[in-house]
Amino acid sequence: MTIFNPNRRAAASFDTPAPPRRRFLQTGGMALASAMGGKAMAAVPPSNAPERTLRLYNTHTGEQSNTVYWADGIYQPDGLSEVSRLLRDHRSNQVGDMNKGLLDLLFLLSSALDTQERFQVISGYRSPATNAMLQKKNKHSGVATRSLHMDGLAIDVRVPGRDLADVRRAAIALQGGGVGYYPESDFVHVDIGRVRTW
């Protein structure tokens, strides 16, 4: 098993939120409700929530988890390891460290969507070899040469019971990074790179 460590890249987290995320937390989800066409949405919990839990389901391996990755004011090493293991490259079985900022963004997204459903994960960590194979297989697939998936900074998901377009709008409203919309493949890409949409 190969462990990838993307320490060279800094990313936002609850401990040092980006200004747009701070404004979002302070307004209790009003921006998101507006982006969702006025639909009632749950307020995002404050950053001092006692625990942060991610509910995940890997669509390729069938594995699922309810993982507390942050509690008592700190990130939980066992929880972080469990999430990274579940989000490994299913083709090569390589595990990459998933960035804490990405996990925080998923936590916010789950709260904003007011769901207890597990994120159905299509792609989490992606090894360089897998990324190159996917890019070569279909040059028009949208797979970037230097994909953020290879750094544990991106994830492709859908949410049972939530329209894909609503997941996209919610992710855009968070202003936490990039959001890609792939309705033909039934997933939304979320990353903690620069804010952009496609």
Side-chain angles (χ1 to χ4, degrees), residues 8-198:
R8 68 183 184 282
R9 303 241 356 212
S13 72
F14 277 111
D15 300 323
T16 55
R21 189 173 300 149
R22 185 178 299 118
R23 282 195 300 274
F24 183 85
L25 289 168
Q26 290 169 347
T27 60
M30 294 302 291
L32 180 62
S34 174
M36 300 291 288
K39 294 180 183 176
M41 301 297 292
V44 172
S47 61
N48 62 354
E51 290 185 347
R52 298 177 201 156
T53 301
L54 285 178
R55 295 167 184 82
L56 303 168
Y57 170 75
N58 186 315
T59 60
H60 300 286
T61 66
E63 296 167 306
Q64 56 187 344
S65 71
N66 286 358
T67 306
V68 175
Y69 72 94
W70 187 95
D72 301 321
I74 59 171
Y75 291 97
Q76 301 296 307
D78 289 346
L80 294 174
S81 294
E82 182 177 336
V83 169
S84 291
R85 174 90 182 135
L86 188 133
L87 299 179
R88 69 191 179 278
D89 183 332
H90 70 277
R91 291 176 176 87
S92 66
N93 217 32
Q94 288 180 289
V95 177
D97 290 336
M98 299 305 290
N99 189 281
K100 297 169 189 170
L102 179 66
L103 305 187
D104 286 339
L105 186 59
L106 281 178
F107 174 76
L108 283 173
L109 183 56
S110 179
S111 299
L113 290 167
D114 190 23
T115 182
Q116 294 296 309
E117 295 288 343
R118 289 184 173 87
F119 281 106
Q120 293 184 350
V121 179
I122 287 77
S123 181
Y125 172 72
R126 190 182 296 156
S127 70
T130 293
N131 198 74
M133 179 273 294
L134 291 172
Q135 191 179 42
K136 183 176 180 181
K137 184 176 177 181
N138 185 352
K139 295 197 181 293
H140 305 291
S141 66
V143 175
T145 302
R146 190 70 197 116
S147 172
L148 295 179
H149 285 277
M150 296 190 297
D151 294 325
L153 301 172
I155 192 166
D156 300 335
V157 297
R158 60 179 167 254
V159 181
R162 296 293 182 268
D163 188 81
L164 199 65
D166 287 343
V167 176
R168 174 183 179 263
R169 282 191 286 271
I172 290 171
L174 290 172
Q175 292 288 291
V179 179
Y181 185 52
Y182 297 91
E184 67 285 351
S185 301
D186 194 24
F187 70 82
V188 172
H189 166 100
V190 179
D191 68 50
I192 53 170
R194 59 188 173 80
V195 175
R196 68 214 185 281
T197 60
W198 65 93

